[in-house]
Amino acid sequence: DHRDLHSFPTRRSSDLLVPAEGKTSFSGIPESQFIDDVDNYMKGEEKAEEKIKALDDLHQKYKFMENSLVMRRKRLRTQVPDIKSSLLMIQKLRAKAAEGEKMDTQFLLSDQVFAKAIIPPTEKVCLWLGANVMLEYTLDDAEVLLSKNLASAETNLGQIAFDLDYLRDQMTITEVTMARLYNWDVKKRKEKK
């Protein structure tokens, strides 16, 4: 059963991810409130400085959250092809073991340094788990673990995409609100003069 990279499950645009009921995002991003009636909102206020500063602080938090989400997405986007490649290697090892054949290959020792290897038929494989930890698994157990990791990574990518869209909306609302408060402040100052 030979499968290529595209035969493993991937997120489709029809798989709509929606946060849990009562939540607006997966990451707990605070919602920005659009101020429809600035005059009513600023009733009794002389200056908009404090409110603009508070919105600017919120905007900076949104920028920080965006940067964090973009970095997570980047890390996951590099992990997914590696996981798919590992799954393909397990399929190849399984096929060679079933045929009782040795497998000639090359493996990476360090950047741009490869070594030739002959792999005898095997039912075991070692996986890097991170933090300089490698464990031996049966081919079946490794495939289950990698498939679970792939599904998780793709789900996380979908959630991050959703959160980034939501975050950009909140940033736009905040920017528009800040501009409207600034314009209200300028108008008030002109009226005083």
Side-chain angles (χ1 to χ4, degrees), residues 16-29:
L16 296 176
L17 293 170
V18 180
E21 190 175 331
K23 290 190 172 189
T24 54
S25 69
F26 292 97
S27 302
I29 299 166

Side-chain angles (χ1 to χ4, degrees), residues 37-65:
D37 185 357
V38 176
D39 287 325
N40 192 33
Y41 178 75
M42 294 301 292
K43 200 171 206 165
E45 299 282 337
E46 290 298 317
K47 295 181 180 179
E49 245 175 78
E50 282 185 36
K51 297 200 184 259
I52 291 173
K53 179 161 179 13
L55 287 170
D56 188 48
D57 289 345
L58 180 62
H59 191 264
Q60 292 304 317
K61 288 177 185 175
Y62 286 150
K63 285 278 195 190
F64 178 78
M65 289 178 209

Side-chain angles (χ1 to χ4, degrees), residues 7 32 60 69 79 112 120 154 175 180 185-186 191:
S7 67
S32 182
Q60 292 304 317
L69 287 170
Q79 286 177 352
Q112 300 181 8
E154 289 178 338
E175 290 163 358
R180 293 182 79 212
D185 198 48
V186 169
E191 286 174 3

Side-chain angles (χ1 to χ4, degrees), residues 81-160:
D82 290 343
I83 295 170
K84 286 181 177 181
S85 177
S86 295
L87 283 164
L88 285 174
M89 183 52 69
I90 288 171
Q91 293 298 320
K92 190 158 188 112
L93 286 171
R94 185 179 283 130
K96 290 290 186 179
E99 295 169 5
E101 293 182 16
K102 296 177 183 174
M103 186 168 85
D104 292 334
T105 189
Q106 294 182 358
F107 62 92
L108 188 64
L109 283 177
S110 65
D111 290 342
Q112 300 181 8
V113 178
F114 289 85
K116 289 184 179 182
I118 299 173
I119 302 171
T122 183
E123 286 298 316
K124 303 222 180 225
V125 67
C126 292
L127 298 178
W128 282 109
L129 300 179
N132 294 325
V133 174
M134 179 184 271
L135 287 179
E136 184 178 77
Y137 290 90
T138 65
L139 293 178
D140 292 338
D141 289 344
E143 186 173 35
V144 167
L145 175 67
L146 290 170
S147 296
K148 187 177 112 188
N149 289 352
L150 178 62
S152 176
E154 289 178 338
T155 298
N156 287 338
L157 280 170
Q159 291 174 348
I160 288 170

